[in-house]
Amino acid sequence: MKLTDKHLTRRGLLKAGAATSLVLAAPLHFVRGAWAQEKAIGTFPAGTSGSSVKYGFIVPQTGAYADEGADELRAYQLAVKHLNGGGGMLETMKPLSLKGNGVLGKKVEYVTGDTQTNPDAARQAAQRAIERDKVIMFSGGSSSAVAVAQQYLAQDKGVIFMDALTHSNDTTGKDRRRYGFRHFFNAYQSGIALGPILAERYGKDRRAFHLTADYTWGHTQYESIRDATEKQGWTTVNNIMTPLGAPDFSQYLTAAINSDADVLILNHYGKDMVNSLTQAVQFGMRDMQKNGRNIEVVVPLYSELMAKGAGDNIAGVLGTANFNEKLDDPGSAAFIKAFTDEYGFPPSQAAQTAYVQTLLYSNAVEQAGTFYPPEVIKALEGAEIEGIGPGKALYRAEDHQCFHDILVVEGKAPSDRQNQYDLLKIVKQVPREEVTYPADIPAFGGKDAQLGAYEPSA
């Protein structure tokens, strides 16, 4: 059925005669077989009253994850360009309701804010975008603590938040919210994908020492990779929590060297991973032997930007990723070409998830025929989309986690690289079905985890 068949206009209802009394009471539209009354929620309808709508892009422009934030912002700007003028994944995404002429005929504009890689600053920036700029949707992240804080704000304010880079289990686990949606994969899925490959590559009797970023992402990342490796027969020797943004990891690395561990697992991201891996190599850890074997280093969550920052130190280091610029499916290829043409270099996984989230929200608005948040949410819940990456992606209704293929990757040695961007090799593309799990397992809050209401209380 076409969009014009599903959504009846006010004029059409007036002509229907019998329905005239209905339209006099409140705006109405037809969604999934039921009539819905629209009322003021968040910035709706005030933020949609003109010829344009504003999105808010709240990213880390400073702090430990600033590199990811800069690439996210590039992707958001590209998404807005394509929404208003066509191109990119609008040529591959299915089902597609967008036409490349804005969203519901309104030009998309945007405002930005700096999370400072800090939950309080992120919340303030997002609140300013909602209250001052009247954004109809906002997106951003890179720190899961930031994403969780923004997601709670979204629920309180009744404005949809499309999470960008957030990998903590809690985002769609115990902290899931009706007004938050995550496209990026999570730490539990990293463990599922990476555990068997680590055992195959390094053996089943290894001893692991963890360094872990001390916030929600690090905690769930450590628990997930610990459980995954112990299922393969590994022993966890120790775990040390490290502060986000620490410039010096020497004291923590010394503890690992003085242990009998023969694997170092760095549950770090962004500049923290660059610094800790670089310092581990400077300490000579990758040339040391323990238990008659070389010490191996694992980075459970990898990115192209981290690989670039760590340079030659990434050679042979395994991890997982949400995206890679070598993917050749139609959606990935269209995005990679558009991004590279625009900026002169390929996109990171942070950029890809930011771009995709902007398009997914916009397409759901077109499908719903309204910016009214509850109906946009319902259009996203249970949606299955292709043409935005390898295979089909599913936004599960129960927890708003998007399921899709994920990647196990390995850092390339300098001699194996074809150019300055050829840093990570895809070891395995793990199918969506292999990393899908029940929504109510303990790692994600169990049966007590609830999304909350479609219509938040004032």
Side-chain angles (χ1 to χ4, degrees):
M1 182 178 292
K2 295 182 180 179
L3 186 65
T4 51
D5 296 328
K6 290 174 63 180
H7 301 282
L8 303 182
T9 65
R10 182 182 291 271
R11 179 178 297 176
L13 285 170
L14 286 169
K15 288 182 177 179
T20 300
S21 60
L22 291 175
V23 298
L24 296 176
L28 297 167
H29 65 283
F30 189 63
V31 177
R32 298 190 180 184
W35 288 101
Q37 284 195 343
E38 296 176 349
K39 63 182 182 181
I41 293 179
T43 56
F44 177 89
T48 65
S49 59
S51 60
S52 64
V53 290
K54 286 182 181 177
Y55 291 178
F57 302 137
I58 317 300
V59 303
Q61 299 179 44
T62 55
Y65 298 160
D67 290 344
E68 282 73 18
D71 225 32
E72 287 176 352
L73 193 53
R74 294 182 189 102
Y76 286 131
Q77 293 167 340
L78 185 62
V80 169
K81 179 179 179 179
H82 291 162
L83 289 172
N84 290 328
M89 285 186 182
L90 265 66
E91 298 175 357
T92 62
M93 187 175 175
K94 298 177 183 178
L96 180 71
S97 296
L98 295 164
K99 305 173 186 66
N101 64 343
V103 179
L104 292 183
K106 296 179 183 290
K107 180 182 178 182
V108 178
E109 300 176 348
Y110 65 90
V111 298
T112 66
D114 183 8
T115 72
Q116 303 175 36
T117 319
N118 177 284
D120 291 336
R123 187 180 177 93
Q124 291 170 10
Q127 186 163 336
R128 186 163 51 247
I130 293 169
E131 295 178 355
R132 182 190 66 189
D133 301 307
K134 306 301 180 187
V135 298
I136 196 66
M137 173 277 277
F138 68 110
S139 185
S142 284
S143 158
S144 288
V146 162
V148 168
Q150 290 179 311
Q151 196 164 257
Y152 274 89
L153 178 69
Q155 188 72 30
D156 291 342
K157 294 292 186 179
V159 178
I160 293 173
F161 175 56
M162 301 298 286
D163 293 355
L165 200 163
T166 170
H167 191 242
S168 170
N169 295 339
D170 293 345
T171 308
T172 45
K174 69 180 183 64
D175 293 312
R176 69 185 70 165
R177 286 295 177 268
R178 184 73 63 185
Y179 276 68
F181 289 84
R182 171 164 62 181
H183 167 261
F184 206 77
F185 71 128
N186 57 52
Y188 188 82
Q189 293 173 304
S190 285
I192 294 173
L194 190 56
I197 290 177
L198 290 177
E200 179 183 339
R201 179 75 65 90
Y202 302 136
K204 291 180 173 290
D205 58 343
R206 303 299 294 237
R207 299 179 62 79
F209 196 110
H210 295 251
L211 301 186
T212 299
D214 191 10
Y215 73 104
T216 177
W217 168 69
H219 299 171
T220 65
Q221 176 57 74
Y222 163 66
E223 292 163 0
S224 296
I225 197 68
R226 177 201 63 196
D227 293 349
T229 54
E230 289 182 354
K231 286 180 181 178
Q232 300 296 326
W234 288 26
T235 299
T236 302
V237 174
N238 199 359
N239 175 50
I240 298 178
M241 293 293 179
T242 63
L244 182 63
D248 185 4
F249 292 88
S250 58
Q251 62 177 313
Y252 315 119
L253 293 168
T254 299
I257 291 171
N258 291 334
S259 75
D260 66 347
D262 50 34
V263 178
L264 174 66
I265 299 181
L266 298 175
N267 300 302
H268 291 154
Y269 195 75
K271 291 179 181 176
D272 281 2
M273 174 271 183
V274 171
N275 289 336
S276 60
L277 176 58
T278 299
Q279 290 171 24
V281 173
Q282 290 171 346
F283 276 34
M285 290 189 71
R286 300 194 71 186
D287 297 322
M288 295 179 185
Q289 284 202 340
K290 292 286 183 73
N291 310 316
R293 296 175 292 200
N294 285 341
I295 294 179
E296 303 291 349
V297 180
V298 177
V299 177
L301 179 59
Y302 233 144
S303 81
E304 302 85 346
L305 297 172
M306 290 158 55
K308 179 180 178 182
D312 295 350
N313 300 322
I314 64 168
V317 175
L318 288 166
T320 60
N322 198 64
F323 173 79
N324 185 275
E325 75 279 1
K326 298 177 191 67
L327 289 170
D328 58 2
D329 61 276
S332 296
F335 173 61
I336 293 164
K337 183 181 187 305
F339 190 98
T340 304
D341 287 349
E342 188 79 11
Y343 299 112
F345 51 85
S348 67
Q349 64 178 0
Q352 191 259 356
T353 200
Y355 178 91
V356 166
Q357 284 287 72
T358 309
L359 264 58
L360 288 175
Y361 167 81
S362 303
N363 198 52
V365 171
E366 286 279 358
Q367 289 177 336
T370 178
F371 287 97
Y372 183 57
E375 300 307 329
V376 178
I377 290 170
K378 291 171 186 175
L380 283 165
E381 290 177 337
E384 190 167 50
I385 313 101
E386 58 184 318
I388 59 171
K392 290 184 178 180
L394 171 69
Y395 247 131
R396 187 162 63 184
E398 291 86 347
D399 56 2
H400 292 187
Q401 175 65 51
C402 190
F403 290 91
H404 49 75
D405 295 0
I406 68 172
L407 308 173
V408 175
V409 295
E410 180 180 5
K412 283 190 171 185
S415 59
D416 295 332
R417 302 172 190 170
Q418 296 180 0
N419 56 57
Q420 62 178 318
Y421 305 111
D422 185 25
L423 301 172
L424 299 175
K425 175 176 68 175
I426 298 175
V427 175
K428 182 179 180 181
Q429 183 173 313
V430 185
R432 159 183 140 186
E433 293 75 17
E434 292 185 20
V435 292
T436 300
Y437 53 85
D440 59 356
I441 61 174
F444 288 80
K447 297 185 183 300
D448 294 331
Q450 301 294 326
L451 283 167
Y454 286 97
E455 298 181 357
S457 58

